[in-house]
Amino acid sequence: MELSIHLTEKNNSLVIHLSGEIDAYTAPQLKERLLPLTKQNGTLIKVDMEAVQYMDSTGLGVFISALKSTKENNSKMKLIHIDERVYRVFKITGLDEIMDLEPRNKVERRNG
Amino acid sequence: MGKVVHSNIENYKSLLKNYIANQDEQSLYGVDMVSKSFLKNNILPEEIVNLHIQVLQELYPDLSEDIKHSMDFLLEAMISYGIKQQEIQTLKEQQMAIKSEISVAASMQETLLKADIPSIDGLEIGAISVPAHQMNGDYYHFVKGKNGTLGLAIADVIGKGIPAALCMSMIKYAIDSYPEESMAPKMILENLNRVVERNVDSSMFITMIYAQYLPQSRRLIFSSAGHEPGYYYNKANDRFEELKTKGLALGVLPDVQYQEYRVDLDQDDMVIFLTDGVTECREEGQFIEVDEVLDVIKRFKDHPAQEIVNQVYKHFERLQGFQLRDDFTLIILRKKV
């Protein structure tokens, strides 16, 4: 399974659209794209997880290292439209309490 | 080797001669064999072209100058291929060396992390841990305290392979170095978190449950650092209950406080701890739900704890299309008289 990564800029914030699976094979790709963005002072990076159905703990590692980098570089990161199953991984590891996460809203999806 | 090469050169000559005369399959098959033998002996492409030129000149002393020049030209064109071939050879040798180093490291890890299951009064313990690759990123560890208590750690290092395995050894030796008085689960996790946060690569983290069993009060005290929840099996009502815990994985933030939880065990009650490798295996694209793990445990509940964990692994191993994506670790504690 592949992971495709698209970057768009909207209202002065960066949005990374991810699509596919984040696992040991695709995580290095994500790290390579995401980490440099967190190093730009004052940026807000939104990671759109709408099309991510699977993420293993290696993917979590990438977001943890991005989180550490946002703290060092005064940037911000928010994960949006997170699938229920993927959200569970953030919850178990306790990351839901220290990261800006927004689960997927089923109602909103149907209407939008 | 020189001898082999020489006989192959002779062979090449006669095969070429035959082929020019008859265009037969036999000669083509022959030259295929010869070329394989050349490869085996590290004969470079330009050497073969050179050989071809010599043979041609022997067979056709009146060979046109133009053809001779063109062959020299071809010889030059082959040189880069020869260099690449030599590079591949070197890489192959290096890969062999790395492979053997990894297998040495893997067996060293096995020795370092060898976890003996202690015998504790009134407690039966079953444990299994199977790595998905050569080196295991899961870890479990039992410590028997002087007053008959049991300390138990189950952990999953995220970040796979060798770095994860090295990290595991660090954790084991950190736990071993804590004095017995400070074995309270929350203290252990708080200390380990500092060790991991300081020493580990930013994308690496560890999830862990540390538990302590006190035989006199039949009480299990535990804390979780972002680990897969454990389960409590209540014999009286024949039900499993998720052991809900909160706590951040080790290595994410420098100062973290952990909470302690407890469960009191009655005769034949069980506590199950596992790593997410158990639930991350997939059956033809489908995830295995933890309920299935618990079902298998229930089915074998009258067997010894060690046999139950073995049976669970066997059950998933037998599934069609089963693929161990992650290391698999399962521990069962059962209260006995």
Side-chain angles (χ1 to χ4, degrees), chain A residues 54 57 65 68 88 93 97, chain B residues 158 202 246 249 251 287 325:
Chain A
Y54 175 79
S57 33
S65 94
K68 288 180 180 174
R88 182 181 175 266
T93 47
E97 304 209 346
Chain B
I158 282 77
S202 73
K246 274 191 171 196
F287 291 94
R325 278 171 75 107

Side-chain angles (χ1 to χ4, degrees), chain B residues 41-323:
Chain B
N41 292 291
N42 296 326
I43 303 295
L44 301 172
E46 66 263 32
E47 291 179 274
I48 299 174
V49 176
N50 194 28
L51 165 67
H52 192 83
I53 297 171
Q54 281 172 26
V55 177
L56 271 188
Q57 279 172 336
E58 259 182 70
L59 294 174
Y60 305 99
D62 308 324
L63 195 67
S64 98
E65 280 302 308
D66 286 355
I67 302 258
K68 276 189 208 161
H69 290 319
S70 89
M71 293 309 289
D72 287 339
F73 194 79
L74 176 63
L75 188 139
E76 200 58 37
M78 294 322 289
I79 285 177
S80 301
Y81 286 89
I83 293 170
K84 266 280 164 294
Q85 197 207 327
Q86 280 172 319
E87 277 176 19
I88 291 172
Q89 196 54 38
T90 317
L91 282 176
K92 261 191 185 162
E93 280 160 20
Q94 286 171 349
Q95 199 196 18
M96 289 277 281
I98 291 171
K99 256 195 181 158
S100 86
E101 274 178 35
I102 292 176
S103 80
V104 172
S107 71
M108 222 159 123
Q109 188 203 16
E110 240 181 84
T111 317
L112 282 175
L113 299 182
K114 203 165 176 287
D116 291 323
I117 299 177
S119 68
I120 298 290
D121 276 350
L123 195 71
E124 196 195 339
I125 305 171
I128 187 172
S129 185
V130 185
H133 302 288
Q134 249 186 319
M135 299 189 82
N136 199 340
D138 280 2
Y139 168 65
Y140 68 81
H141 185 51
F142 297 100
V143 196
K144 190 176 178 177
K146 284 193 200 86
N147 48 1
T149 59
L150 170 78
L152 152 70
I154 179 167
D156 185 356
V157 181
I158 282 77
K160 308 257 182 275
I162 299 169
L166 289 175
C167 189
M168 230 44 298
S169 309
M170 182 177 87
I171 290 291
K172 178 196 155 84
Y173 286 97
I175 295 181
D176 281 349
S177 72
Y178 296 141
E180 208 173 303
E181 310 76 84
S182 63
M183 291 300 252
K186 72 182 285 286
M187 297 296 290
I188 292 210
L189 293 187
E190 282 162 18
N191 283 326
L192 283 179
N193 180 56
R194 277 190 285 274
V195 174
V196 177
E197 207 273 335
R198 257 185 255 134
N199 289 289
V200 161
D201 170 81
S202 73
S203 61
M204 207 149 91
F205 66 97
I206 297 171
T207 71
M208 179 185 280
I209 287 180
Y210 195 92
Q212 194 182 26
Y213 180 68
L214 314 170
Q216 270 153 5
S217 53
R218 305 177 285 109
R219 176 167 284 177
L220 189 78
I221 303 169
F222 56 98
S223 292
S224 167
H227 198 81
E228 228 9 71
Y231 291 86
Y232 164 63
Y233 171 76
N234 184 332
K235 168 78 177 173
N237 64 13
D238 193 27
R239 284 219 183 111
F240 290 99
E241 236 174 73
E242 187 181 307
L243 296 171
K244 289 200 187 338
T245 47
K246 274 191 171 196
L248 187 62
L250 304 175
V252 180
L253 291 180
D255 274 302
V256 182
Q257 305 275 308
Y258 291 96
Q259 293 174 41
E260 261 173 15
Y261 303 85
R262 60 191 48 176
V263 54
D264 291 336
L265 302 182
D266 286 320
Q267 172 80 23
D268 288 324
D269 283 356
M270 290 191 272
V271 170
I272 294 115
F273 292 122
L274 37 77
T275 58
D276 64 2
V278 178
T279 48
E280 251 181 37
C281 355
R282 293 199 255 184
E283 187 192 358
E284 292 173 23
Q286 288 295 303
F287 291 94
I288 289 168
E289 299 294 339
V290 75
D291 289 348
E292 197 175 341
V293 177
L294 299 181
D295 278 349
V296 181
I297 292 176
K298 212 175 204 177
R299 214 184 310 149
F300 290 95
K301 66 179 183 215
D302 297 326
H303 293 70
Q306 186 58 47
E307 202 185 317
I308 303 177
V309 296
N310 293 346
Q311 288 295 344
V312 173
Y313 180 69
K314 268 192 203 148
H315 171 87
F316 290 111
E317 201 185 30
R318 266 198 303 263
L319 287 179
Q320 255 197 333
F322 171 85
Q323 179 187 18

